[in-house]
Amino acid sequence: MGKRKEESVSNRGSQKKQRKEYTDILGDEPNEEETLQFSANSSASSQSPDGEVGIIESIQLKNFMCHSNLGPFQFGSNLNFVIGTNGSGKSSVLTALIVGLGGKATATNRGSSLKMFIQKGETSADISITLRNQGRDAFKPESYGASITVNQHINQDGSRTYKLKSKCGAIISSKKEELIGILDHFNIQVDNPVSVLTQEMSKQFLQTKNEGDKYKFFMKATQLEQMKEDYSFIGKTKKNTRVQIEQGEERLEELKQVYLEKKEIFKSIAFVNDMQSRLKDLKHQMAWAVVSEMEKEIELLKEGVKAEEGNTEFLQKVEEWQVKVNEAEKKYKAIQDKLITVSEEAQALHPQCISLKAEVQAKRKAVNETEIVYNRSKTELKRLGKDNEQLCKRIEELKSCANQASEPEKLERQRRIAYLREQLKAFHDEEIMIDQQVDQFQQAISKCREEQSRLGREKNDVQQALDAKQKQLRDLKDSKTNTLKRFGPHIPAFLEAIEVAHKQGRFKKKPLGPLGALIHPKDPELILAIESCLKGLLQAFCCDNHSDEKTLQFLMSKYFARGHRPQIIVNKFQNKIYDTSQRAVRHPEFPSVLTALEIDDPVVANCLIDMRGIETILLIKNSRKAREVMQCNQPPKNCKEAFTAEGDQVFERRYYSSSFVRPRFLSQDVEAEISHLEREIENKRAQLTASQQRLYSIKNEIRQNEDHLCGHQRHQKQLQIKVRTANAEIADLENMEEHQSADVHILQDEVEENKSRMESVKQDMQLQSRKMEELENNLQAAEKQLEEVKEKIHQVEEIAGPIKAELNQAESEVENSKRRLQHYEDKQREHVACVNKHKDLLVAKRNELEEKMAKARQIFSERITVTRTVKSLDAEMNRLREKINSESSHRGNREEIIQQFRYARERYEDASNKVKNLKRFIAVLDEVMTERLKVYRQFLRSLSMQCKLHFEHLLRVRGCSGNIIFDHKNETLSITVQPREEEKASRSDLRSLSGGERSFSTVCFILSLWNISESPFRCMDEFDVYMDMVNRRIAIDMILERADFQRHRQFILFTPLTMSSLPMSPHIRILRMPDPPRDQRTLNFQNRNNRDEDQ
């Protein structure tokens, strides 16, 4: 997503503090009391709450010098002592302060390039410094707040980058110009030794022999050096300006001579004025002659337009063919209505035909079932007849067996075995038939169960669809009072939770959604197409960053079950919609999804562009037209797909039908949607009822088939028993050695029982036969009725054929009439366009006439009656111009002479004005510089006197005496110090003092400079390193006194010694540096080949 633009750095000039300038006029040698009183007043007056800006609140180092992580150190607003052993990082903190606030590496005296400050083995270093930004002098408080954090990153190549952060951690700028503006505003000068005094700078100052260097030190510390350089630059500018004035005066004389020469020539050409006057009169006539000729042309054009307007031939033809078109359309409508009536008759017969087909099938099935039962009874009757015959034969055999010999008995057993074998064969055939019937019933049951399973699934699908429709209906009814409920019943409460979380600051930027609530289709007919295109994106939410996404996910878990949560899209929020001019599809007839929507927020538009590419999708209402645009020809440029009004998706080589029937989220007519849903719910209920009835019918059919199957299985078991009995009897007969008497009476009882069973079966067969005959009659009647309906449908279709041909003929007549009408309408439009074109030309001519008349009035205000033509006037004017040119060739062109005269006069006057302005500027500059230099000298004397008196006063505190001698003329400064008053010999050089005395004298001098300079903080490294305990105590007391007197200033002092003797005070803070590791007691600076200056 796009990057945040950095805030531009404002003009630093408007943010700088104005340096205080002392305008009090002092004598050349003011007395000591007056000067001390002046110093005290000026210092006291500077103690104000305005000192809340520019002081250092904290500093932190990472991979800097020999420290991997140092800090953060929190400094107090007044006096701070940073103590620690050598190598603990005191000097590193001071060095980091100089470098972190933009100072050069050379200013630290610890390296020539920034890359030398990176810890060995690391690739970069980081410095973080926090400056206070409070009070009325705060720098951009509306952006930075109460503090400004300067983060500096030093790279391995010696370059560095800045990040300027506000109180809350937001990055405000990364430009060095912004940091320079902040330092100028706070009057922070890290390269000023008074603000930051390092060990090396102090050592150089004490050991220098050159009094001129000490004077430069004083001038730089008080910023007088910068003022002196500014005044020197102004003096050089004034000198250069005087040289320009001298050169300008010489040039002015030359221009004056040229001007006088041109003036004489100008006076000698007055005799050509007569011809010029005549030419001027001819120009007047020419202007009005042009007007007259154009008026005549306009009159002719008006007559032509009037004649064209009177021609109504094409209009009459249009009216005539319009009547024919209306008649043809009326005829077409009548035939179409007739065809619709016939078609409706055919359509009305189709449900009856389907119903009759189902009835015929049901009756045919009943006939088949009855026939099966009848055949089963018939088979049973045959079997019983055979059993009866066999029983009768057996009885006869048993009756005659008593008188027969053993041989006949054997023959009888053989006949009985043969009979039993024939009976076994019959049993086997019947068993095969029963097995086939069992298989048929099992297949029928299996098919019915499959149908039952399918109907059960259909019923469940219909029930689920019904539940979904009912829920959607409830949501729609609820959305009449709250439209957000269309997107889910929990959406309003969820949006309220988002609003509460946003007010609590849990979101960086408030999420947007659902996206469907923030878009509005322009055309209601395209709503279904848009919903088919966007689908789940309509319920999605958009976040600016991943942190907000996590918060939103947590909120969603309270309102939505897992797996049913809306989609969350992370997209950087922007205030303007993407520029899609190069990749968007454009079509003269059909809109894209992007142009078909009114979108409330650019973030929503950008989100839909990124996620769905809505600028590349066309919306085409007609599916046939959509196929033509996308598939018959090359798709439009940048077009990836299209959607129809029915929601179908069209690609270049594919076409997908939509599963959506009605819009769900974006519909604008809620009542119509509710009515449609109620109708769909009724249809679903009817489908559910039909499915339940069909299921009940299938269950009954399964139950009947299962009953038949059980009967056949029982019969099958009986046959198996009979087979086993017959087999046993055959075995017994084959193994029989003696004739066994048979019980004739038992067999006779079996015969009687068998006869009664045969009578019962015959009666059942008669019933089944009558029932079958009745069902067959019903079936024939139903089939006849079905054939009659089919015949009617066929007759209707035969009637519709000629009507369709007649309709095609009428449609052809309508098209022909419309083409003729279109032809004459085009002719009429051309005629009207021609008339309008002539009218436009007439208007243009009239406008041109007005312009010509306006020009003519500018040339000559009163109209002139001109009898001559434009051509004759132009010829005479050309002759006059030739004469004027001929005269001008002898004396020069008159216009050129006038132009040269005016040019010479303008150059002379311009040069004269410039010289006068420069002289005035020099006079004003001399006056201002005289006054400014006077004030500068007074300021110089005042500061030097204050420094001198403070120095002497601080030496007297120890009981010493000394003096600072300023020689402003030779720009030298000498310091003399006498350790004790009893010692008579004065030491003229600081190097002759002991180390402690020299350090003490340095402290006194620095304190004197502190008193007369302006800076929000002062830093001094190892100020007491060479002092004995007495001098150290006195120096510390003086520093404590100065810090207590200037509580609006910040003091940071670095020392390797302990500060246990300091008094307890809320204004004093002691920061102890951690002891260095045992293997790191010195700083390891290695020489590097690349000594590049810091960037």
Side-chain angles (χ1 to χ4, degrees):
M1 299 301 139
K3 298 181 181 178
R4 182 181 300 162
K5 294 184 179 178
E6 299 292 344
E7 186 177 328
S8 61
V9 180
S10 58
N11 186 3
R12 300 202 317 268
S14 63
Q15 298 170 351
K16 293 183 180 179
K17 287 185 175 180
Q18 296 182 353
R19 185 181 292 123
K20 295 181 179 179
E21 297 184 357
Y22 297 89
T23 57
D24 298 336
I25 301 175
L26 302 177
D28 292 338
E29 295 179 357
N31 59 52
E32 180 176 337
E33 294 180 358
E34 291 175 345
T35 306
L36 284 174
Q37 183 66 31
F38 172 79
S39 174
N41 291 340
S42 64
S43 298
S45 64
S46 64
Q47 295 188 33
S48 66
D50 296 341
E52 292 298 319
V53 295
I55 68 173
I56 301 171
E57 291 187 348
S58 66
I59 185 169
Q60 183 175 6
L61 313 179
K62 182 179 179 182
N63 300 331
F64 189 79
M65 297 179 72
C66 57
H67 304 281
S68 59
N69 193 2
L70 201 59
F73 300 107
Q74 304 293 333
F75 294 105
S77 60
N78 188 221
L79 182 58
N80 300 268
F81 287 94
V82 181
I83 64 175
T85 60
N86 290 332
S88 60
K90 301 188 302 298
S91 298
S92 299
V93 173
L94 188 62
T95 302
L97 180 63
I98 297 172
V99 174
L101 292 179
K104 296 183 178 181
T106 53
T108 64
N109 294 315
R110 285 182 171 269
S112 60
S113 176
L114 290 177
K115 59 187 177 182
M116 300 181 69
F117 295 120
I118 301 175
Q119 187 181 15
K120 186 177 180 180
E122 300 294 337
T123 59
S124 63
D126 293 282
I127 304 171
S128 178
I129 302 172
T130 302
L131 303 176
R132 186 170 294 176
N133 189 43
Q134 300 176 1
R136 63 186 181 187
D137 286 337
F139 182 83
K140 296 183 180 179
E142 69 282 355
S143 299
Y144 288 97
S147 65
I148 300 174
T149 301
V150 181
N151 287 341
Q152 184 179 139
H153 181 77
I154 302 174
N155 299 311
Q156 198 169 17
D157 59 356
S159 62
R160 56 181 167 185
T161 57
Y162 297 93
K163 289 182 181 178
L164 304 178
K165 299 182 177 179
S166 64
K167 173 73 175 178
C168 60
I171 298 176
I172 306 301
S173 178
S174 59
K175 296 182 179 179
K176 187 175 182 180
E177 290 78 4
E178 179 85 351
L179 175 61
I180 295 172
I182 293 171
L183 298 178
D184 288 349
H185 186 82
F186 293 157
N187 200 21
I188 296 174
Q189 305 169 37
V190 292
D191 57 347
N192 190 334
V194 174
S195 296
V196 181
L197 185 63
T198 62
Q199 285 180 276
E200 294 296 325
M201 183 66 71
S202 177
K203 188 185 297 184
Q204 292 175 9
F205 172 71
L206 291 174
Q207 294 178 355
T208 182
K209 299 178 181 179
N210 192 337
E211 295 178 347
D213 292 341
K214 295 177 182 177
Y215 185 83
K216 290 180 180 178
F217 184 87
F218 165 78
M219 295 290 285
K220 185 175 182 180
T222 57
Q223 301 183 36
L224 290 170
E225 183 179 11
Q226 182 63 39
M227 293 175 64
K228 182 180 177 183
E229 291 176 357
D230 293 343
Y231 293 153
S232 175
F233 175 74
I234 294 172
K236 292 179 182 178
T237 303
K238 185 172 70 173
K239 183 177 179 181
N240 293 335
T241 305
R242 291 189 184 281
V243 172
Q244 291 179 10
I245 290 173
E246 293 176 359
Q247 294 174 352
E249 288 177 341
E250 294 176 1
R251 178 65 177 161
L252 187 62
E253 287 298 323
E254 297 176 1
L255 293 175
K256 185 176 181 181
Q257 292 297 326
V258 173
Y259 165 64
L260 294 175
E261 291 175 2
K262 297 297 180 182
K263 188 175 182 181
E264 289 297 325
I265 296 172
F266 174 72
K267 291 179 180 179
S268 65
I269 61 170
F271 67 94
V272 190
N273 288 341
D274 292 340
M275 284 189 292
Q276 293 286 354
S277 299
R278 175 58 182 165
L279 182 61
K280 187 175 181 181
D281 291 338
L282 290 174
K283 285 181 179 179
H284 297 167
Q285 294 181 32
M286 172 66 82
W288 287 107
V290 170
V291 171
S292 298
E293 289 189 358
M294 185 163 287
E295 286 175 344
K296 293 177 182 178
E297 185 179 351
I298 287 173
E299 284 299 324
L300 293 174
L301 194 58
K302 283 171 66 178
E303 293 176 359
V305 169
K306 187 175 180 181
E308 288 290 338
E309 287 179 338
N311 186 3
T312 60
E313 177 186 357
F314 294 120
L315 184 61
Q316 292 174 357
K317 287 289 186 180
V318 168
E319 292 174 353
E320 177 184 346
W321 280 101
Q322 183 64 56
V323 171
K324 291 182 179 180
V325 167
N326 293 338
E327 291 176 353
E329 287 181 342
K330 186 176 180 181
K331 180 180 177 182
Y332 176 81
K333 184 68 168 56
I335 297 172
Q336 189 180 41
D337 292 341
K338 185 178 178 182
L339 180 61
I340 290 172
T341 302
V342 173
S343 300
E344 287 176 352
E345 291 178 5
Q347 291 296 327
L349 290 172
H350 278 294
Q352 185 180 359
C353 181
I354 293 170
S355 176
L356 287 173
K357 282 182 180 179
E359 184 180 352
V360 166
Q361 289 176 355
K363 290 182 177 181
R364 184 176 288 116
K365 182 178 179 183
V367 169
N368 293 335
E369 290 175 352
T370 305
E371 187 176 0
I372 289 172
V373 174
Y374 176 80
N375 291 332
R376 191 181 300 134
S377 299
K378 188 176 181 181
T379 303
E380 181 69 15
L381 182 62
K382 288 181 179 179
R383 184 183 65 80
L384 290 173
K386 289 181 179 180
D387 289 347
N388 190 49
E389 290 178 359
Q390 290 174 357
L391 287 172
C392 290
K393 288 179 180 180
R394 180 60 179 164
I395 290 171
E396 292 296 330
E397 289 173 357
L398 288 175
K399 286 180 179 181
S400 60
C401 69
N403 298 320
Q404 292 178 355
S406 59
E407 186 65 22
E409 191 175 84
K410 183 177 179 181
L411 293 173
E412 180 62 27
R413 282 198 306 272
Q414 291 176 353
R415 284 195 297 273
R416 179 62 180 171
I417 290 171
Y419 167 75
L420 289 174
R421 292 188 186 281
E422 289 177 359
Q423 197 173 31
L424 280 175
K425 184 179 179 182
F427 290 158
H428 179 69
D429 294 337
E430 187 175 359
E431 189 176 11
I432 291 174
M433 183 184 68
I434 291 176
D435 288 339
Q436 291 176 352
Q437 291 176 351
V438 167
D439 290 339
Q440 290 175 358
F441 282 119
Q442 287 177 342
Q443 290 176 4
I445 291 171
S446 176
K447 289 181 180 179
C448 288
R449 291 193 186 280
E450 289 177 1
E451 182 68 10
Q452 184 184 24
S453 177
R454 184 184 64 78
L455 288 173
R457 290 194 298 271
E458 288 182 0
K459 176 189 172 185
N460 292 335
D461 293 341
V462 172
Q463 185 65 51
Q464 291 177 1
L466 178 61
D467 294 340
K469 295 291 182 183
Q470 289 174 337
K471 180 179 179 300
Q472 190 176 351
L473 180 62
R474 289 194 298 272
D475 293 342
L476 268 180
K477 289 182 177 179
D478 290 341
S479 69
K480 292 170 68 176
T481 56
N482 188 344
T483 56
L484 290 173
K485 288 189 177 180
R486 291 193 194 183
F487 301 90
H490 304 298
I491 288 295
F494 179 59
L495 290 178
E496 289 180 5
I498 291 176
E499 185 66 32
V500 171
H502 179 60
K503 290 179 179 178
Q504 292 174 352
R506 295 170 64 186
F507 291 108
K508 295 180 181 179
K509 290 188 179 180
K510 181 181 174 182
L512 297 177
L515 299 185
L518 303 175
I519 62 175
H520 310 287
K522 298 177 182 177
D523 188 350
E525 295 182 8
L526 295 175
I527 291 177
L528 181 58
I530 293 171
E531 283 199 12
S532 299
C533 174
L534 301 182
K535 295 181 180 176
L537 290 175
L538 295 171
Q539 295 176 279
F541 284 75
C542 186
C543 289
D544 175 70
N545 53 75
H546 291 286
S547 174
D548 289 351
E549 180 195 16
K550 293 180 181 177
T551 306
L552 190 63
Q553 285 280 16
F554 176 76
L555 288 178
M556 278 188 179
S557 65
K558 298 180 180 180
Y559 293 90
F560 301 94
R562 184 177 296 275
H564 295 83
R565 297 176 186 173
Q567 181 182 359
I568 299 177
I569 302 165
V570 180
N571 197 8
K572 196 70 176 177
F573 286 7
Q574 297 187 23
N575 296 326
K576 58 185 294 186
I577 299 177
Y578 295 149
D579 180 12
T580 59
S581 57
Q582 299 300 320
R583 63 176 186 271
V585 60
R586 289 179 177 81
H587 196 278
E589 293 182 54
F590 311 113
S592 66
V593 178
L594 178 61
T595 57
L597 290 174
E598 290 180 359
I599 303 178
D600 298 341
D601 197 307
V603 173
V604 177
N606 294 341
C607 182
L608 294 177
I609 289 171
D610 288 339
M611 297 300 296
R612 192 63 181 90
I614 60 175
E615 78 281 9
T616 63
I617 302 173
L618 282 178
L619 297 177
I620 306 172
K621 295 180 182 179
N622 186 277
S623 59
R624 182 180 59 79
K625 193 67 177 176
R627 287 180 184 272
E628 289 179 2
V629 173
M630 295 297 296
Q631 297 178 349
C632 296
N633 302 312
Q634 184 71 21
K637 184 180 179 182
N638 298 328
C639 182
K640 295 182 178 178
E641 55 186 295
F643 282 85
T644 68
E646 293 79 20
D648 296 343
Q649 190 176 14
V650 187
F651 291 94
E652 184 176 357
R653 294 183 177 87
R654 291 167 291 161
Y655 188 102
Y656 298 105
S657 297
S658 173
S659 59
F660 296 91
V661 179
R662 301 282 298 177
R664 178 180 174 187
F665 301 106
L666 304 179
S667 176
Q668 299 170 356
D669 189 353
V670 179
E671 292 295 336
E673 289 300 319
I674 290 174
S675 176
H676 179 76
L677 269 178
E678 288 175 346
R679 289 195 299 272
E680 286 189 348
I681 288 171
E682 290 301 321
N683 291 336
K684 292 296 180 184
R685 285 174 177 167
Q687 290 179 18
L688 187 62
T689 303
S691 297
Q692 290 174 343
Q693 292 176 352
R694 180 63 179 152
L695 271 173
Y696 179 76
S697 174
I698 290 293
K699 287 179 181 178
N700 289 336
E701 188 174 350
I702 290 173
R703 191 181 303 110
Q704 291 176 2
N705 286 330
E706 285 177 346
D707 292 339
H708 291 311
L709 179 63
C710 290
H712 280 72
Q713 288 175 342
R714 285 195 301 270
H715 191 192
Q716 194 175 32
K717 288 180 181 179
Q718 292 175 359
L719 280 176
Q720 291 173 355
I721 292 171
K722 289 180 179 181
V723 168
R724 286 197 298 271
T725 303
N727 285 327
E729 186 178 353
I730 290 171
D732 292 339
L733 290 173
E734 287 176 347
N735 296 325
M736 185 182 298
E737 295 179 356
E738 294 180 358
H739 174 72
Q740 298 179 356
S741 62
D743 192 353
V744 176
H745 296 288
I746 294 173
L747 293 176
Q748 288 176 347
D749 292 339
E750 288 183 4
V751 169
E752 292 298 326
E753 184 181 354
N754 201 20
K755 287 181 179 180
S756 63
R757 287 174 63 187
M758 288 175 65
E759 289 297 327
S760 177
V761 171
K762 287 179 180 179
Q763 291 176 3
D764 289 341
M765 285 178 64
Q766 290 175 357
L767 290 174
Q768 293 295 332
S769 176
R770 287 194 294 270
K771 183 178 179 181
M772 186 167 60
E773 184 178 356
E774 182 181 353
L775 289 175
E776 285 179 349
N777 292 333
N778 292 336
L779 176 61
Q780 290 175 0
E783 288 177 344
K784 182 178 180 182
Q785 192 176 0
L786 177 61
E787 289 298 326
E788 291 175 355
V789 171
K790 288 183 177 179
E791 183 63 24
K792 287 181 181 179
I793 293 174
H794 180 68
Q795 291 174 359
V796 170
E797 289 176 350
E798 287 182 349
I799 294 172
I803 297 176
K804 288 181 180 178
E806 190 178 356
L807 183 65
N808 293 334
Q809 180 64 28
E811 184 179 8
S812 176
E813 292 178 3
V814 170
E815 292 298 325
N816 291 334
S817 299
K818 285 184 176 180
R819 280 196 295 272
R820 297 296 294 175
L821 175 62
Q822 185 67 39
H823 170 72
Y824 287 111
E825 284 179 345
D826 293 341
K827 290 292 184 180
Q828 174 64 16
R829 279 194 291 272
E830 291 174 2
H831 175 69
V832 172
C834 181
V835 173
N836 292 333
K837 182 179 179 182
H838 289 161
K839 287 182 178 179
D840 293 340
L841 180 60
L842 181 61
V843 172
K845 288 291 183 181
R846 285 172 174 169
N847 293 334
E848 187 179 356
L849 176 62
E850 291 177 0
E851 292 176 2
K852 295 292 184 183
M853 292 182 72
K855 290 180 180 179
R857 290 191 183 95
Q858 290 176 358
I859 296 172
F860 194 73
S861 58
E862 295 182 3
R863 179 155 185 167
I864 303 172
T865 304
V866 183
T867 57
R868 299 175 61 181
T869 63
V870 172
K871 187 175 181 180
S872 63
L873 289 170
D874 186 56
E876 185 174 354
M877 289 171 66
N878 289 333
R879 286 195 298 271
L880 277 175
R881 288 193 186 98
E882 289 176 1
K883 288 182 180 180
I884 292 170
N885 292 334
S886 177
E887 293 295 331
S888 298
S889 62
H890 295 292
R891 295 178 177 81
N893 185 277
R894 182 175 181 274
E895 296 296 332
E896 290 181 0
I897 292 172
I898 295 173
Q899 186 177 2
Q900 290 173 3
F901 164 70
R902 290 175 178 170
Y903 178 67
R905 183 177 63 187
E906 288 174 359
R907 289 181 66 195
Y908 171 69
E909 291 175 351
D910 183 58
S912 178
N913 290 334
K914 285 183 179 179
V915 171
K916 290 178 182 178
N917 291 335
L918 286 174
K919 287 181 178 179
R920 282 197 296 270
F921 171 71
I922 288 295
V924 174
L925 189 61
D926 285 339
E927 183 180 351
V928 172
M929 282 301 298
T930 301
E931 185 64 25
R932 298 286 289 179
L933 286 172
K934 182 179 178 182
V935 173
Y936 166 74
R937 295 189 185 98
Q938 293 171 356
F939 192 38
L940 177 62
R941 287 195 297 272
S942 173
L943 291 178
S944 58
M945 183 58 68
Q946 290 180 56
C947 182
K948 176 180 178 181
L949 294 176
H950 279 289
F951 181 76
E952 293 175 357
H953 171 73
L954 293 173
L955 286 178
R956 283 198 298 273
V957 172
R958 185 185 178 225
C960 302
S961 62
N963 191 16
I964 297 177
I965 301 173
F966 290 91
D967 186 350
H968 298 302
K969 181 176 181 181
N970 296 318
E971 297 185 350
T972 61
L973 183 153
S974 60
I975 300 176
T976 60
V977 178
Q978 186 172 348
R980 292 179 180 81
E981 293 186 3
E982 61 269 13
E983 297 178 11
K984 301 299 182 180
S986 176
R987 299 178 184 177
S988 59
D989 192 2
L990 292 178
R991 289 179 300 168
S992 60
L993 299 176
S994 66
E997 292 170 341
R998 190 160 58 247
S999 296
F1000 173 77
S1001 302
T1002 302
V1003 171
C1004 292
F1005 182 63
I1006 294 300
L1007 289 175
S1008 301
L1009 292 177
W1010 280 0
N1011 193 69
I1012 63 175
S1013 63
E1014 294 290 336
S1015 181
F1017 60 83
R1018 295 99 192 293
C1019 301
M1020 191 159 59
D1021 190 11
E1022 298 195 2
F1023 65 96
D1024 56 352
V1025 67
Y1026 297 116
M1027 294 184 189
D1028 55 24
M1029 293 306 295
V1030 176
N1031 289 328
R1032 183 170 178 266
R1033 179 71 260 173
I1034 295 172
I1036 290 174
D1037 289 343
M1038 288 191 297
I1039 291 173
L1040 291 174
E1041 179 184 356
R1042 176 53 50 189
D1044 186 64
F1045 184 69
Q1046 293 183 340
R1047 289 185 181 175
H1048 64 292
R1049 303 294 182 206
Q1050 186 184 42
F1051 301 85
I1052 304 174
L1053 306 176
F1054 298 83
T1055 176
L1057 305 177
T1058 61
M1059 292 285 108
S1060 58
S1061 61
L1062 288 176
M1064 296 296 294
S1065 171
H1067 303 294
I1068 300 175
R1069 179 174 293 185
I1070 299 176
L1071 302 175
R1072 181 179 298 278
M1073 303 294 292
D1075 291 336
R1078 293 185 178 183
D1079 58 347
Q1080 180 63 54
R1081 291 291 182 179
T1082 59
L1083 300 179
N1084 183 19
F1085 289 101
Q1086 297 180 356
N1087 292 329
R1088 303 190 183 187
N1089 294 330
N1090 297 328
R1091 298 280 183 176
D1092 300 333
E1093 196 61 42
D1094 52 278
Q1095 301 298 320

